[in-house]
């Protein structure tokens, strides 16, 4: 493949454009404006870690038919040229006073009549990746054209994965499967939690991840306090429960699952909670079907925890997954999003072990007509013990 | 250190609050609202890779005096409790319909009279990390309180680094220095560019990086086409110029510099351009002083390229560095930001080797009263050749 060329065929991107354009037509949106790394990658294949730099905004417009237009900093032109995109307009960013705003306004004005409606994702799980002050200038420059919420327009398409996307997520999960297999040897070789985190990231890369966008975890006697902390430079001790959670990336697609390990010995409390989480997940793996809602998935997992006599650790019990570490929907009691065939989802029940100590279990699946198909290799049915 | 506790002392955070509060007072801002990973980390020490999940917004309010207040998802409460923050209010996110908005509005209403003014970074290099639709609800809920731009309020403080911050960036640079030293052995062992990227990230971790947020680069005969591409699965060939650029992270602080290597042999054109970039950097290293502007730095580097008979590759020729991969100012002909003592900056001249082929050179420095002090170990004066 040439430098930065998309992993997928032109046909895959054309399918995506048409699917979004069909949603746009249904909702009366004449074009949509995309500003996030994930949305831009989704419609063009433009993949770079350069989004890490907050210096420059990037814009992609999908018109009502045909290929997207890119309005981007000059520095991205060479890479964008290899992507699935029509016209590319660029400016020498960063440019104080007019950082692409007039070029973007002109492009949208050329494209849309004054009665035109521009869809912009502005709802849950979105954010506008451009300076807010520039957005306000843009809305004035484009008036009487109107910006409307295009969250559903994008999410209803992105949430259903194609075969090549499912294969990509499965490939990323394989890297994490292999890295998790190596955790016992890593723990034996590394006494401290920060060393474990470091070597686990190395294992993910060695097993084929392109990069590691997310590692979190925790360790402590009888569980951990939270699931989002970076590593502390503290020794692992016998009796600790260790959890590692990763969002590795391969070809732009994430995995997101965790594994738990008992250090030295597994106390009864930990075994009991692990078993309950495992069985709650099994129940969801066998009962989840397209046509249910995110709320139903939450209820399935909650019922599983209840049957095991466990108290939920709270928060959502699973979510979507794909070109970002987490995607909608959220398995909560309030999320009515319908679950549909070929959604990629995580099942993530968590339970309280004791006051302030929790355990969380996570698997990645694709929802098929007949139920979930695992993308992560199923966690072992009993809490693994790492003896040093 | 306990799980996720800030690396720095309470005194460092109190200094930051007071410095920002003094800017707020000058600009008539009664509180500021922060939503980005970098700003939240800067004022509280809250460090997590969980920002990778777009599912939930996070809010930190700095009032006119005293400690910041956190208004955050429940999932972050445990980690935030160890940070430098006053009151923590949290809600069970994600919550469709009211994802923290009413809690944030109530908190700001409690804090500020109806005549109050809320600063929000909305200018260059910022973006609002919350759904735009929720921001619009928030502005209505808080009216007649007004939101005003607080970009300067935050940037004028963050851009001047304290001794502990400079030490942190130097420590991250050390990891990258050591990893770059290993590139020749990596290239000999890995025939393909994607393997080089992977092993270079492993080397960064082995040399002490906590994680690797950014690696980009390129390779090709007579230079590369751009500096932001992910790796292609293509073999390195004799005569190629290889560039690797990294933003590794340690204790939340980035480095950002690159190194160039000739594969097998260094053709005259490559030697000549490398020498010109090296000398342009030397000139800036000796002449740059506090009191100059970003534009002056651009002119110093441009003059150096001109003297060497090189054509600039365009774009900015350096920028700030700290808690994100890149920070303001930008070394362009338009950026009038004054350069001040203890700014951490990159010097990043790039030149055209031939049509569509460029070479870019980068170092990290802290600007002292007497001139730049290198934080990266200076690149070798001649283009290194890796013989396989």
């Amino acid at each position: 493949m040439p430098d930065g060329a998309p992993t997928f065929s032109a046909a895959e991107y054309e399918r995506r454009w048409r699917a979004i354009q069909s949603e746009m037509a249904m909702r009366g949106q004449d074009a949509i404006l995309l500003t996030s790394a994930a949305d831009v990658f989704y419609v063009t294949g433009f993949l770079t870690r350069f989004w890490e730099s907050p210096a420059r905004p990037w814009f992609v417009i999908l018109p009502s038919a045909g290929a997207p237009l890119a309005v981007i900093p000059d520095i991205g032109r060479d890479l964008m040229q290899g992507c699935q995109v029509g016209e590319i307009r660029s400016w020498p960013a960063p440019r104080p006073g007019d950082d692409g705003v007039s070029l973007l306004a002109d492009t949208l004005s050329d494209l849309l009549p004054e009665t035109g409606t521009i869809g912009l994702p502005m709802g849950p799980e979105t954010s506008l990746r451009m300076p807010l002050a520039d957005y306000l200038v843009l809305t004035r420059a484009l008036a009487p054209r109107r910006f409307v919420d295009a969250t559903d327009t994008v999410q209803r398409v992105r949430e259903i994965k194609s075969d090549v996307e499912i294969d990509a997520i499965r490939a990323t999960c394989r890297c994490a499967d292999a890295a998790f297999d190596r955790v016992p040897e890593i723990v034996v070789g590394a006494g401290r939690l920060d060393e474990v985190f470091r070597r686990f990231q190395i294992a993910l890369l060695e097993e084929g991840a392109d990069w590691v966008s997310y590692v979190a975890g925790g360790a402590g006697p009888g569980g951990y306090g939270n699931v989002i902390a970076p590593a502390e430079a503290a020794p692992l001790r016998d009796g600790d429960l260790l959890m590692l959670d990763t969002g590795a990336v391969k070809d732009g697609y994430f995995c997101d699952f965790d594994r738990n390990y008992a250090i030295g010995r597994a106390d009864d409390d930990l075994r009991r909670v692990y078993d309950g989480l495992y069985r709650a997940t099994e129940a969801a793996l066998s009962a989840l079907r397209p046509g249910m809602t995110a709320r139903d998935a939450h209820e399935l997992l909650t019922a599983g925890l209840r049957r095991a006599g466990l108290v939920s650790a709270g928060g959502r019990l699973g979510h979507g997954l794909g070109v970002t570490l987490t995607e909608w929907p959220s398995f909560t009691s309030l999320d009515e999003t319908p679950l549909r065939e070929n959604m990629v989802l995580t099942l993530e029940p968590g339970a309280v072990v004791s006051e302030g100590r929790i355990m969380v279990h996570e698997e990645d699946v694709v929802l098929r007509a007949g139920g979930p198909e695992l993308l992560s290799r199923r966690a072992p049915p009993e809490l693994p013990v790492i003896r040093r």
Side-chain angles (χ1 to χ4, degrees), chain A:
Chain A
M1 276 181 299
D3 242 49
T7 312
F8 303 135
S9 68
E12 168 70 8
Y13 293 94
E14 284 158 18
R15 180 194 67 73
R16 295 175 183 190
W17 305 339
R18 282 195 302 267
I20 296 173
Q21 284 158 344
S22 151
E23 297 280 335
M24 287 163 58
M26 242 164 53
R27 293 178 166 83
Q29 295 158 8
D30 302 309
I32 58 169
L33 173 63
L34 304 174
T35 65
S36 76
D39 287 341
V40 168
F41 172 57
Y42 187 76
V43 299
T44 67
F46 183 77
L47 181 63
T48 168
R49 299 184 81 185
F50 197 59
W51 294 92
E52 194 67 40
S53 165
R56 301 172 186 83
W58 302 75
F59 308 108
V60 164
I61 300 161
L62 188 67
S64 57
L69 285 80
V71 180
I72 58 171
D74 285 342
I75 196 171
R77 180 175 273 276
D78 182 79
L79 184 60
M80 187 62 89
Q81 272 163 351
C83 295
Q84 298 294 338
V85 71
E87 194 186 347
I88 301 171
R89 299 184 184 185
S90 69
W91 80 97
R95 185 172 62 192
D98 179 15
D99 216 9
V101 177
S102 65
L103 184 63
L104 178 61
D106 289 349
T107 306
L108 283 163
S109 298
D110 292 351
L111 208 62
L112 298 179
E114 291 206 341
T115 53
T117 296
I118 305 157
L120 179 73
M122 49 177 93
E125 313 224 3
T126 73
S127 59
L128 178 68
R129 194 187 176 280
M130 69 181 287
L132 181 60
D134 284 353
Y135 172 70
L136 299 176
V137 171
L138 184 73
T139 57
R140 285 191 296 267
L142 287 168
R145 296 171 193 83
R146 289 182 317 123
F147 281 90
V148 297
D149 187 10
T151 306
D152 282 339
T153 310
V154 175
Q155 290 188 350
R156 294 295 77 74
V157 174
R158 267 184 51 194
E159 69 189 12
I160 306 299
K161 268 63 180 179
S162 66
D163 288 349
V164 289
E165 290 187 282
I166 294 165
D167 287 346
I169 299 169
R170 188 185 288 109
T172 311
C173 288
R174 287 281 172 277
C175 302
D177 285 336
F180 279 123
D181 282 347
R182 293 169 53 185
V183 169
E185 96 201 31
I186 287 171
V187 166
V188 170
R192 277 183 359 206
L193 188 58
D194 58 343
E195 256 323 294
V196 171
F197 270 50
R198 193 166 275 124
R199 295 191 194 186
F200 179 61
Q201 292 177 84
I202 290 171
L204 287 161
L205 290 162
E206 287 175 344
E207 299 297 344
D210 294 332
W211 57 78
V212 183
S213 285
Y214 186 72
V215 166
Y224 24 85
N226 70 74
V227 294
I228 65 170
E232 53 182 334
L236 287 169
R237 293 198 168 86
D238 279 3
D240 278 356
L241 178 70
L242 165 69
M243 184 275 288
L244 291 167
D245 186 1
T246 187
V249 179
K250 193 175 169 63
D251 294 326
Y253 280 78
F254 281 75
C255 65
D256 179 20
F257 62 102
D258 76 359
R259 289 294 177 257
N260 290 277
Y261 307 85
I263 306 299
R265 64 170 197 275
D267 293 338
D268 288 348
D269 254 15
L270 294 181
R271 286 184 192 279
R272 181 180 58 81
V273 174
Y274 186 94
D275 181 65
L277 293 173
Y278 186 88
R279 285 188 288 130
T281 306
E282 284 296 298
L285 282 171
S286 70
L288 203 65
R289 291 290 182 280
M292 292 180 173
T293 63
R295 177 185 176 152
D296 294 331
H298 179 262
E299 183 46 34
L300 274 177
L301 287 160
T302 304
L305 295 176
R306 211 163 37 224
R307 276 194 306 276
L310 298 179
V311 175
S312 169
R316 60 181 178 176
L317 304 185
H319 53 79
L321 168 67
V323 297
T324 49
L325 174 67
T326 75
E327 295 183 356
W328 63 91
S330 295
F331 295 170
T332 69
S333 61
L334 297 171
D335 192 323
E336 305 282 2
T337 309
L339 302 185
R340 296 191 290 157
E341 204 175 331
N342 296 333
M343 277 186 165
V344 172
L345 302 163
T346 78
L347 305 174
E348 190 177 11
V352 174
V353 183
S354 62
E355 174 71 26
R357 300 275 114 185
I358 61 173
M359 187 188 304
V360 176
H361 188 99
E362 192 171 20
E363 301 285 6
D364 297 345
V365 303
V366 53
L367 187 59
R368 303 296 197 181
E373 172 192 327
L374 279 161
L375 297 177
S376 50
R377 194 200 312 139
R378 189 74 175 99
E382 293 192 359
L383 177 60
V385 180
I386 301 175
R387 294 180 208 283
R388 299 181 291 180

